[in-house]
């Protein structure tokens, strides 16, 4: 880190727990590299304390913005004055910044980070067919970003019919004719199959879908970051399929954060 | 600075303005030197926002304490659950820490820092006679600390009779028989004369007292840090008197903070 003085501007990342967050190391390295007199600090906030902590932080004159992680990404939207499209669509946010007039704007870069990661790995979504497993918060963010980025078709599956139908309705309303849904995974004709469920966090989790059902040359992507090599990705690699690791999403979120917080690189 | 990660503990210094604070540079250098995974950040808080900001910061799970500077040193006492003797006596605090049970304890190290600085320069107050000019917040802190440290006699002067009498009554109640007061400075028989007024911050300020009235061998001390060489200290030095700079008070406050926040050195 560069030297912190009285002129240093603040960013804070809110989470519970907080010890595992990667953002301070990544963002501070970036801030230091570009010579910005600002620092990102970890802020441990329990859910019951979120309202009070955010109210206090909003009044801090040298605080320019917040990053938000589990479990506050949905609740934090209540404290924003305006929601960017991705935050409005997903109903969750992972970044807030103070605008010139003092209003707080929330955005969600889960989807944009995932798409940026795909592009960086040579898998531009434009014109490709996707199968997405998991219609929760991360799945919704990834689905919207893939369609926004020009995916030719998106098949979404989730074992919870209510959650699946709700997401499909909202996706079809905005991107009509490009989305289908099912309770069981349909990955057979996908160019890229994406796991957006928590399956794979634990070593004995079942596979979210069977990579053997994919055609040769398809890509298997996971949004799980730890472990880096999930059971799904190991199985896909063993089948000779291309794999795309969860960490790429975070790497490219960093670029999104830099743009959002106007950190010139 | 060492690397900030999710495990890093937080300290914050509150002020308005904040740009001028020296504490982040000094305390962070100390934290880094001893390998403590903690960081002190500047927090700009306007007076009208103090209650809300402090309420929020108290709920931050990885925040261990606060430093407090102008203009919040008096008001901050309202948010402490307990006041250490120096904070209770002066009615102002410049440090708060979270205790094991979650209570917040406030202390004031202005006086202790000044006494530590005197001792460090070879002027132990024990048994010495002091003349103190200025019965405001800083003067009260210095007065109490000098008497606590064994000063044989303290003469306090202030042009505001109400403020002077109030301080004298409280000093005499705790250290009877060792304190006198006057509207005009009485420095003639002092071993050490101390300026605790703001006179000297500006180059055209009048002298708080006439150093020529001191006996040879006496010490003239100033609590003003900038400019380092106040008009008073320059005049005293020109007379061949020993001088004691304001910066010593801050240097020794750093040691007080380290003890208060349990930073092993």
């Amino acid at each position: 880190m560069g030297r912190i003085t009285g002129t240093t501007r603040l960013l804070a990342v809110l989470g519970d727990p907080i010890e595992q967050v990667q953002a301070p190391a990544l963002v501070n390295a970036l801030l230091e590299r570009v010579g910005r007199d600002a620092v990102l600090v970890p802020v441990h906030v329990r859910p019951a304390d979120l309202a009070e902590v955010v109210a206090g932080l909003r009044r801090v004159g040298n605080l320019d913005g917040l990053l938000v992680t589990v479990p506050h990404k949905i609740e934090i939207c209540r404290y924003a004055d305006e929601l960017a499209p991705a935050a409005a669509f997903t109903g969750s946010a992972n970044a807030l910044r103070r605008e010139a007039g003092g209003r707080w704007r929330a955005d969600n870069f889960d989807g944009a980070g995932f798409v940026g990661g795909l592009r960086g790995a040579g898998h531009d979504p434009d014109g490709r067919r996707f199968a997405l497993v998991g219609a929760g918060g991360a799945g919704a963010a990834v689905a919207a970003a893939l369609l926004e980025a020009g995916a030719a078709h998106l098949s979404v599956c989730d074992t919870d019919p209510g959650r699946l139908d709700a997401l499909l309705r909202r996706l079809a309303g905005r991107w009509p004719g490009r989305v289908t849904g099912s309770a069981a995974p349909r990955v057979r004709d996908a160019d890229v199959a994406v796991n957006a469920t928590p399956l794979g966090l634990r070593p004995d989790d079942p596979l979210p879908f069977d990579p053997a059902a994919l055609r040769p040359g398809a890509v298997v992507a996971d949004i799980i970051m730890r472990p880096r090599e999930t059971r799904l990705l190991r199985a896909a690699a063993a089948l000779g399929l291309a794999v795309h690791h969860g960490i790429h999403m975070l790497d490219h979120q960093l670029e999104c954060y830099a743009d959002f917080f106007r950190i010139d690189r």
Side-chain angles (χ1 to χ4, degrees), chain A:
Chain A
M1 273 306 303
R3 186 179 152 103
I4 295 175
T5 71
T7 61
T8 302
R9 307 291 302 180
L10 302 179
L11 299 169
V13 51
L14 313 187
D16 178 34
I18 195 68
E19 291 77 8
Q20 80 294 346
V21 294
Q22 302 292 310
L26 296 171
V27 173
N28 287 325
L30 172 63
L31 291 167
E32 186 170 20
R33 200 158 62 238
V34 303
R36 175 78 82 95
D37 183 16
V39 66
L40 172 64
V41 294
V43 169
H44 180 209
V45 192
R46 295 167 195 90
D49 296 326
L50 186 65
E52 205 161 12
V53 171
V54 171
L57 291 178
R58 281 188 60 145
R59 301 279 179 180
V60 170
N62 60 331
L63 182 90
D64 294 324
L66 304 176
L67 296 181
V68 183
T69 188
V70 177
H72 303 308
K73 290 166 64 168
I74 294 171
E75 193 67 11
I76 196 72
C77 292
R78 295 178 52 182
Y79 307 105
D81 299 306
E82 56 188 57
L83 300 178
F89 186 85
T90 59
S92 75
N94 44 24
L96 288 86
R97 75 174 178 219
R98 190 196 310 265
E99 301 287 38
R103 292 168 63 81
W104 281 70
R105 177 179 176 84
D107 208 335
N108 184 314
F109 299 115
D110 288 341
F114 182 76
V115 164
L118 278 182
R119 285 199 184 113
H123 310 304
D124 192 321
D126 192 23
R128 279 191 161 83
R129 298 178 63 83
F130 284 81
L132 175 69
V133 180
V142 166
L146 288 173
L147 290 163
E148 183 71 28
H153 183 261
L154 176 71
S155 158
V156 186
C157 98
D158 197 287
T159 52
D160 178 336
R163 185 159 81 162
L164 177 63
D165 286 349
L167 178 59
L168 288 174
R169 264 199 308 277
R170 297 172 63 226
L171 292 171
R174 188 144 162 211
W175 294 282
R178 293 159 63 193
V179 190
T180 57
S182 60
R186 287 190 189 151
V187 300
R188 195 166 306 276
D189 62 350
D191 299 312
V192 185
V194 184
N195 174 43
T197 76
L199 293 174
L201 284 170
R202 288 171 302 195
D204 55 349
D205 281 337
L207 291 177
F209 58 86
D210 180 6
L214 282 156
R215 62 166 183 74
V219 179
V220 173
D222 209 325
I223 67 161
I224 288 173
M225 291 176 211
R226 284 195 266 188
R228 174 181 166 86
E229 305 292 342
T230 57
R231 220 185 122 206
L232 174 66
L233 293 184
R234 289 203 312 273
L239 290 161
L241 297 170
V243 300
H244 186 75
H245 294 93
I247 192 68
H248 297 303
M249 181 169 164
L250 183 65
D251 288 343
H252 285 265
Q253 274 183 324
L254 182 63
E255 297 183 10
C256 298
Y257 295 151
D259 290 339
F260 187 65
F261 292 122
R262 304 183 183 96
I263 303 167
D264 296 325
R265 282 164 291 157

